[in-house]
């Protein structure tokens, strides 16, 4: 439902991409939220309202979810909180931690607080941006994206006042 609402708000005809999620989930050591996968298949690689870029499977590797996750993971400590993501740490199979799924302007970062033994549909969204500190939000990925783009009351995350006509620009 939320993905259809995003597409309608963007006047977007779904791309219906076929993405091989098995290899991505195998590398991560966990399944990903189904609504996120449908969002990536509907829009592909691109930018929402010149603000939010959703990570996906990206042959150019620029917006590739696994590559960016591994970059963060490789830069962090073996154990304990990561100073760059304190009080959190990057997800590692068998542990609870962050998996990045989008980035935005104004130094905004969006993650799932993931654990392989939990249903990905129930993962909390963890976000940080300028000017707000780490915050946890309990909702689906697609609802969060929709509300960031269209809900003027969804503070401090919303860009709806600044960009009242949301759009999507595909990237090659």
């Amino acid at each position: 439902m939320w993905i259809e609402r995003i597409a309608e708000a963007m006047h977007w005809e779904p791309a219906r991409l076929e993405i091989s999620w098995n290899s991505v989930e195998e590398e991560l050591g966990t399944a990903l939220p189904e609504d996120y996968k449908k969002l990536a298949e509907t829009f592909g690689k691109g930018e929402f309202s010149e603000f939010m870029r959703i990570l996906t499977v990206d042959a150019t590797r620029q917006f590739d979810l696994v590559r960016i996750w591994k970059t963060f993971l490789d830069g962090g400590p073996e154990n304990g909180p990561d100073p760059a993501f304190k009080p959190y740490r990057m997800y590692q199979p068998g542990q609870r931690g962050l998996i990045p799924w989008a980035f935005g302007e104004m130094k905004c970062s969006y993650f799932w607080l993931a654990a392989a033994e939990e249903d990905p549909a129930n993962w909390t969204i963890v976000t940080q941006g300028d000017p707000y500190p780490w915050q946890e939000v309990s909702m689906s990925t697609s609802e969060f994206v929709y509300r960031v783009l269209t809900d003027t009351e969804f503070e401090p995350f919303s860009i709806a006042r600044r960009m009242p006509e949301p759009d999507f620009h595909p990237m090659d």
Side-chain angles (χ1 to χ4, degrees), residues 47-53 103-110 128-130 132 159 162 171:
E47 187 173 61
F48 289 97
S49 295
E50 299 177 15
F51 176 77
M52 180 183 277
R53 290 170 293 286
F103 293 100
E105 297 299 318
M106 302 182 320
K107 301 178 185 174
C108 294
S109 301
Y110 307 98
Q128 178 187 37
D130 184 15
Y132 61 88
I159 63 163
R162 194 168 48 114
M171 297 176 160

Side-chain angles (χ1 to χ4, degrees), residues 121-172:
N122 296 326
W123 288 349
T124 299
I125 292 172
V126 178
T127 180
Q128 178 187 37
D130 184 15
Y132 61 88
W134 290 105
Q135 294 195 33
E136 295 186 12
V137 181
S138 294
M139 65 179 59
S140 72
T141 306
S142 55
E143 179 183 358
F144 185 85
V145 170
Y146 178 80
R147 294 190 63 201
V148 165
L149 299 173
T150 65
D151 184 352
T152 58
E153 303 300 314
F154 190 50
E155 296 298 338
F157 313 110
S158 177
I159 63 163
R161 283 189 179 93
R162 194 168 48 114
M163 301 289 287
E165 291 295 321
D167 58 14
F168 180 77
H169 297 282
M171 297 176 160
D172 294 326

Side-chain angles (χ1 to χ4, degrees), residues 1-171:
M1 167 181 106
W2 291 108
I3 294 164
E4 290 80 12
R5 291 175 78 177
I6 296 168
E8 184 179 310
M10 306 294 136
H11 307 289
W12 182 256
E13 186 64 34
R16 295 183 177 88
L17 300 172
E18 291 192 23
I19 297 174
S20 175
W21 294 110
N22 291 340
S23 61
V24 171
E25 293 173 330
E26 189 174 301
E27 282 196 69
L28 289 169
T30 186
L32 292 169
E34 290 298 320
D35 80 302
Y36 157 78
K37 293 189 285 189
K38 186 173 179 189
L39 181 69
E41 292 166 354
T42 299
F43 288 94
K45 183 174 70 169
E47 187 173 61
F48 289 97
S49 295
E50 299 177 15
F51 176 77
M52 180 183 277
R53 290 170 293 286
I54 308 293
L55 303 178
T56 185
V57 177
D58 179 11
T60 70
R61 310 286 284 164
Q62 185 177 6
F63 298 106
D64 188 72
L65 186 144
V66 170
R67 183 191 69 79
I68 292 172
W69 167 71
K70 283 183 175 180
T71 299
F72 285 148
L73 187 62
D74 292 344
E78 296 268 335
N79 296 304
D82 185 330
F85 301 101
K86 193 175 180 180
Y88 304 98
R89 62 175 296 106
M90 276 297 118
Y91 168 81
Q92 295 181 34
Q95 298 180 14
R96 185 175 182 83
L98 301 176
I99 298 175
W101 60 268
F103 293 100
E105 297 299 318
M106 302 182 320
K107 301 178 185 174
C108 294
S109 301
Y110 307 98
F111 304 87
W112 296 294
L113 185 54
E117 65 276 0
E118 294 176 14
D119 180 351
N122 296 326
W123 288 349
T124 299
I125 292 172
V126 178
T127 180
Q128 178 187 37
D130 184 15
Y132 61 88
W134 290 105
Q135 294 195 33
E136 295 186 12
V137 181
S138 294
M139 65 179 59
S140 72
T141 306
S142 55
E143 179 183 358
F144 185 85
V145 170
Y146 178 80
R147 294 190 63 201
V148 165
L149 299 173
T150 65
D151 184 352
T152 58
E153 303 300 314
F154 190 50
E155 296 298 338
F157 313 110
S158 177
I159 63 163
R161 283 189 179 93
R162 194 168 48 114
M163 301 289 287
E165 291 295 321
D167 58 14
F168 180 77
H169 297 282
M171 297 176 160

